[in-house]
Amino acid sequence: MKKNLLLIAVSVLCVACVTEKKEIEEVAYNYLDAMGNYRIDDARPYASAETCEKTLDVFINYLMPKVDTNYIKSNTPATIEILSVDILSDTTAVVSYEKTTPITVQKDGRLDMIKEDGRWCAEVIIALPPIVEMDSTELQSKISSRLDSLKNRKFTIVEKKKK
């Protein structure tokens, strides 16, 4: 009887692990496919809240407006192949993938995954320095303020004596 219960428990765990890996693989594929094909908004449902706020917003607001549309056309479509899914803990995993576009092949891609609010999400955090995130008026004001403070400083020139 104990053997049967143990066998059932192990079977349930195996099925749960396979199901979990399949979910991670599907989310990772959808995120990578959207990002690889420059459909940044389509990646949102598969990204963590922090990834949406920091990374995807940075792409949409700062990077994509500067990318030449001819480059995007020449670098699509992207194809994504998931190579492996490694579950590290109850809430973290790593997906290895290969991305191929007409211009490049990325054979050693790695995507971190986290479980957030009970669902698996891509976790890719990039952040721009604060100066890049400023609007031009705010930036100009900060530069002017800094220049004014430098104008009011007294500098002393010290000559080195030759030995």
Side-chain angles (χ1 to χ4, degrees):
M1 183 68 175
K2 284 184 181 182
K3 255 186 184 179
N4 289 340
L5 287 175
L6 182 60
L7 186 58
I8 290 170
V10 168
S11 297
V12 167
L13 282 175
C14 287
V15 168
C17 187
V18 168
T19 303
E20 193 93 353
K21 277 190 173 190
K22 205 70 179 153
E23 180 186 350
I24 294 168
E25 182 177 337
E26 184 178 318
V27 169
Y29 176 84
N30 288 329
Y31 176 84
L32 292 166
D33 183 64
M35 292 299 288
N37 287 292
Y38 302 91
R39 298 185 327 268
I40 311 305
D41 276 327
D42 291 352
R44 285 188 185 281
Y46 309 104
S48 68
E50 191 173 13
T51 298
C52 287
E53 179 185 316
K54 293 185 177 174
T55 304
L56 300 184
D57 287 350
V58 165
F59 268 89
I60 289 168
N61 296 320
Y62 299 101
L63 301 177
M64 291 306 294
K66 294 174 179 26
V67 177
D68 181 9
T69 55
N70 289 325
Y71 176 80
I72 292 173
K73 289 176 187 172
S74 70
N75 199 35
T76 52
T79 57
I80 306 297
E81 180 184 352
I82 302 297
L83 304 174
S84 67
V85 175
D86 297 314
I87 297 176
L88 306 176
S89 71
D90 289 350
T91 58
T92 60
V94 174
V95 174
S96 298
Y97 67 92
E98 183 175 299
K99 179 176 91 170
T100 305
T101 70
I103 296 175
T104 62
V105 174
Q106 181 183 9
K107 291 185 179 268
D108 58 351
R110 173 191 156 105
L111 178 64
D112 293 327
M113 304 290 290
I114 63 166
K115 199 167 203 177
E116 184 177 82
D117 297 328
R119 65 181 187 90
W120 285 99
C121 305
E123 178 83 336
V124 181
I125 307 302
I126 64 167
L128 293 176
I131 196 165
V132 176
E133 294 178 351
M134 290 182 206
D135 67 27
S136 60
T137 306
E138 183 181 3
L139 181 58
Q140 186 61 43
S141 171
K142 287 222 182 255
I143 291 171
S144 294
S145 173
R146 182 70 178 138
L147 288 173
D148 287 343
S149 73
L150 289 173
K151 285 179 191 174
N152 296 326
R153 280 192 176 169
K154 292 184 180 180
F155 294 95
T156 306
I157 299 174
V158 179
E159 290 185 32
K160 286 188 178 181
K161 292 183 180 180
K162 293 183 181 179
K163 292 184 181 182

